[in-house]
Amino acid sequence: MSATTMTSGKGTGASTSDAGLDCTPALPSAEEITTRRAMLRGTALAAAMWGAKAYGQTMQNPGVEPIQVRPPVIACPSLVGGPTKEQKLVSKATFGYTQAEEARVVAMGYNAWLDEQLDFTNVPGWVEFEDSLLNPVSGRDPWFGQNLFNYLLDDPGGPLCEVYPPGPHPDVVRRELVRAACIRAVYSPAQLYERAVGFWNDHLTTYHRTGQLPKTKHFGDRLHIRPNALGNVRDIILASATSPDMLEYLDGRTNKKTSINENYGRELLELHTLGKLADGSFNCFDQATIAGIARALTGWYVDTYGTGECGIVSFITSWHDGTAKSIDFPCDGSVFTLQIPAGLFAGPEDIDNSEIAFVIDALTDPSQMGLKTAEFIARKLCVYFSGDNPSASLVQAVVAAYVANYRQNDIAAMIRVILSQQWIHCGKPKLKRPIHLMASALRSTEAAVSDPGQDGQADRMVGGFLERAGHIPFDWPAPDGFSFESSYWVTSLLPRWNFGARLAAVNTADGKFNGVSINTFITDLANMQFPDATSLVNHLDQVMFGGHMGFSDRAELISYVSGLGAINATVIRECVGLLLGAPSFQLY
């Protein structure tokens, strides 16, 4: 479907050195982890110390450094006495370790469990979970006792088209999607799928408060991101490019041959495919490339609300620049030239033969510019699923999987490499993003969530924690999405410590969150009648960490709880609250 030329030059450069490669996982040392009480005594100092020592002051930009595709070099060794490969897999592939999920991995076998998660529609219980969450016939949400979702299944052109009033208020609609993201992160059996959905919703972000996006974001998430999250890079980028929320967010709906709008064309290259280099310069494109791509993307349109066709994407041929184009991509001393023939006027009904598909094919096909796209996305996937500053060898292995599986579920193939037994121990402990921390706390305490709440609702988890921690899903205004780097999140620690205390609190006067309860977890622990603090902390270590709580955290908890007297439900609650705020619980 493409026609290309390559002018003279040195071709794709490569640096295959593994200098400085260190795959050995390491728990933060006692000096690297301060205690929760010390942190609360000096928040700014604690954040500076923790960020500088435990996670490193320099978190490299995941820009593209030219590399060659070659077979994986080594398997990262496990640390003697550290987490098993099964425990690491559960921690990296889900929204939080649980003993039950580890037991499933052991029972099924490592590869079988990973295969099942990557084929998410066949995960036991997933279909029933989604039906219970979304199906109006079953009362919407029988799992959690609330009718939280009224619009998640609505299609473009449906009831959401009605202008408020009498149609739904935009804030009501966008808050539904946030609630659904929170509940799926905690309870969905297809945990790896939900992690992948989270990655792509940030990589291809659209801000859910802009214009009509409180409503069109629903369509983008359900019809464009979720169906493709473990499929193909080409398909998910094309789906995003022609989704109603992206067309509105980056002004694609106003891009006409008579008035070119370059917003989406720029972000398609800079944020979605080729990326930028570590020094901030464009990777294999320039302003002329952006201008040419923008011309190729003219003609796409999405209706606004009140028309009866809101959210329905169309293609207006009179707006499209259908002339032949030669678009240059200056790259590593050479120039790749994309030749686009005249007459490509296909729209949504024949998307694969459209000019926008022609462009995205060129950006994702490894024989054209796709190797650069693979390098950029592979690094981001490694940072997200494995750890900050991934080794060149791991990134190369992920790129090789993309090339070998291009348009054959290449996203799943890349993630499979990152989480494989060969590479699972490469991922050093990484700071959980706030929604990850929230979900992992709820999963490890077997919490019952009736309503995670909404922004502005301080007594619920969304308004009382995620909003204060700066991580309400879909709430990032800029087109680069929420950061995957630990360095961004390490400076906002106080809400994390408060979250653990509030989740374990007994009543509202103590800051307890409404809409969630861990009472069953606390009662079950109290019934075990622990003789002393050491036995309680040891048990919680096994349940919540698989036996790998940070050494200094363990010592601090035992010392503190030992001074509280007999182990009863009140003491257990305080211990659990402290543990959820402990530095080692912030990591995965």
Side-chain angles (χ1 to χ4, degrees):
M1 186 178 171
S2 61
T4 63
T5 61
M6 181 71 77
T7 62
S8 61
K10 66 181 180 180
T12 302
S15 174
T16 58
S17 171
D18 286 316
L21 175 62
D22 177 13
C23 291
T24 305
L27 294 173
S29 66
E31 291 75 18
E32 292 172 328
I33 298 182
T34 56
T35 67
R36 179 178 186 272
R37 285 182 291 168
M39 288 177 176
L40 289 174
R41 286 194 294 268
T43 301
L45 176 61
M49 292 176 62
W50 186 10
K53 292 184 179 180
Y55 301 103
Q57 292 178 329
T58 55
M59 296 291 181
Q60 295 181 3
N61 186 304
V64 176
E65 173 188 351
I67 60 174
Q68 289 179 340
V69 175
R70 61 187 177 90
V73 179
I74 62 171
C76 293
S78 61
L79 183 68
V80 175
T84 66
K85 63 181 185 293
E86 291 85 2
Q87 291 170 332
K88 288 277 287 196
L89 177 62
V90 173
S91 294
K92 297 293 186 180
T94 74
F95 274 102
Y97 170 85
T98 66
Q99 281 187 313
E101 203 64 63
E102 181 192 352
R104 285 197 75 236
V105 177
V106 172
M108 292 179 63
Y110 190 107
N111 292 339
W113 184 89
L114 183 54
D115 289 344
E116 179 184 86
Q117 286 286 313
L118 289 170
D119 186 17
F120 67 95
T121 60
N122 289 319
V123 173
W126 178 76
V127 172
E128 293 79 6
F129 170 80
E130 284 293 313
D131 283 348
S132 74
L133 200 65
L134 303 175
N135 190 345
V137 176
S138 65
R140 290 292 182 182
D141 192 18
W143 284 52
F144 313 109
Q146 296 289 325
N147 185 6
L148 301 179
F149 310 109
N150 296 301
Y151 305 106
L152 289 184
L153 287 179
D154 286 349
D155 290 322
L160 287 184
C161 290
E162 297 183 30
V163 176
Y164 172 81
H169 192 285
D171 284 345
V172 171
V173 179
R174 69 173 177 80
R175 286 165 175 163
E176 277 199 7
L177 193 58
V178 171
R179 282 190 174 97
C182 293
I183 287 177
R184 282 167 166 151
V186 178
Y187 292 111
S188 176
Q191 281 283 296
L192 180 52
Y193 169 60
E194 293 301 335
R195 290 268 286 138
V197 169
F199 173 88
W200 289 109
N201 264 317
D202 277 321
H203 183 76
L204 303 169
T205 193
T206 57
Y207 180 48
H208 71 162
R209 295 181 193 251
T210 299
Q212 301 299 334
L213 276 161
K215 297 183 177 182
T216 56
K217 181 66 182 180
H218 270 53
F219 306 143
D221 179 73
R222 181 169 68 86
L223 301 176
H224 299 267
I225 297 296
R226 296 183 67 81
N228 294 292
L230 287 172
N232 298 309
V233 170
R234 179 265 190 188
D235 294 344
I236 199 168
I237 292 176
L238 179 59
S240 169
T242 56
S243 66
D245 54 325
M246 187 63 76
L247 285 169
E248 180 179 0
Y249 176 59
L250 289 179
D251 304 312
R253 66 186 297 270
T254 66
N255 187 21
K256 310 174 186 179
K257 65 182 180 183
T258 55
S259 56
I260 300 295
N261 188 305
E262 296 180 352
N263 285 355
Y264 177 71
R266 177 178 292 103
E267 308 307 354
L268 173 64
L269 300 176
E270 180 179 333
L271 299 176
H272 300 170
T273 55
L274 302 178
K276 297 175 79 171
L277 298 173
D279 64 2
S281 61
F282 292 155
N283 182 45
C284 297
F285 66 96
D286 57 18
Q287 180 55 41
T289 317
I290 294 170
I293 292 296
R295 288 175 54 217
L297 304 183
T298 50
W300 290 85
Y301 179 72
V302 60
D303 271 327
T304 55
Y305 289 85
T307 65
E309 296 183 352
C310 69
I312 296 177
V313 174
S314 60
F315 184 76
I316 301 174
T317 56
S318 62
W319 288 9
H320 179 55
D321 179 352
T323 61
K325 304 171 186 69
S326 294
I327 303 176
D328 290 340
F329 293 79
C331 193
D332 301 333
S334 299
V335 177
F336 171 89
T337 301
L338 177 65
Q339 303 284 3
I340 303 178
L344 296 180
F345 285 93
E349 68 287 344
D350 189 19
I351 188 70
D352 285 336
N353 290 312
S354 66
E355 192 160 341
I356 196 169
F358 193 100
V359 168
I360 291 173
D361 284 348
L363 292 171
T364 58
D365 186 339
S367 69
Q368 300 183 68
M369 294 303 299
L371 189 57
K372 292 299 181 182
T373 293
E375 293 167 1
F376 177 57
I377 292 176
R379 273 186 170 82
K380 291 188 72 172
L381 284 169
C382 289
V383 168
Y384 184 74
F385 281 107
S386 181
D388 300 307
N389 302 316
S391 71
S393 294
L394 174 57
V395 175
Q396 289 167 353
V398 176
V399 172
Y402 176 85
V403 173
N405 295 275
Y406 177 60
R407 297 193 66 176
Q408 299 178 66
N409 292 329
D410 48 54
I411 298 172
M414 289 191 287
I415 295 173
R416 187 190 305 278
V417 169
I418 299 169
L419 299 177
S420 68
Q421 296 183 59
Q422 181 174 13
W423 295 102
I424 190 65
H425 283 292
C426 285
K428 293 186 178 182
K430 175 179 172 64
L431 191 66
K432 297 170 183 173
R433 302 197 302 174
I435 192 172
H436 192 156
L437 175 64
M438 181 192 76
S440 65
L442 298 174
R443 285 168 58 78
S444 66
T445 58
E446 302 174 4
V449 180
S450 59
D451 180 10
Q454 63 192 41
D455 53 283
Q457 201 171 13
D459 69 327
R460 304 291 172 113
M461 290 183 293
V462 171
F465 171 57
L466 293 182
E467 186 170 13
R468 294 177 182 182
H471 197 203
I472 294 177
F474 321 114
D475 205 35
W476 185 260
D480 55 349
F482 283 109
S483 177
F484 299 141
E485 303 277 351
S486 296
S487 58
Y488 176 81
W489 300 103
V490 78
T491 58
S492 180
L493 299 175
L494 184 58
R496 294 169 177 264
W497 307 322
N498 289 340
F499 172 73
R502 294 187 66 182
L503 184 61
V506 176
N507 53 59
T508 304
D510 297 327
K512 177 185 180 296
F513 289 119
N514 289 318
V516 59
S517 172
I518 63 170
N519 288 344
T520 299
F521 182 72
I522 298 297
T523 300
D524 289 346
L525 290 172
N527 289 338
M528 298 179 72
Q529 298 182 339
F530 296 101
D532 52 36
T534 300
S535 60
L536 170 62
V537 173
N538 284 345
H539 180 78
L540 290 173
D541 183 12
Q542 292 296 324
V543 170
M544 303 175 74
F545 295 87
H548 299 287
M549 186 191 304
F551 300 118
S552 59
D553 287 354
R554 170 195 288 276
E556 179 68 20
L557 276 171
I558 291 174
S559 174
Y560 179 78
V561 175
S562 294
L564 298 180
I567 305 301
N568 55 30
T570 300
V571 171
I572 291 170
R573 279 188 182 274
E574 186 163 359
C575 182
V576 170
L578 286 169
L579 190 152
L580 293 175
S584 53
F585 194 79
Q586 311 301 307
L587 309 176
Y588 72 99

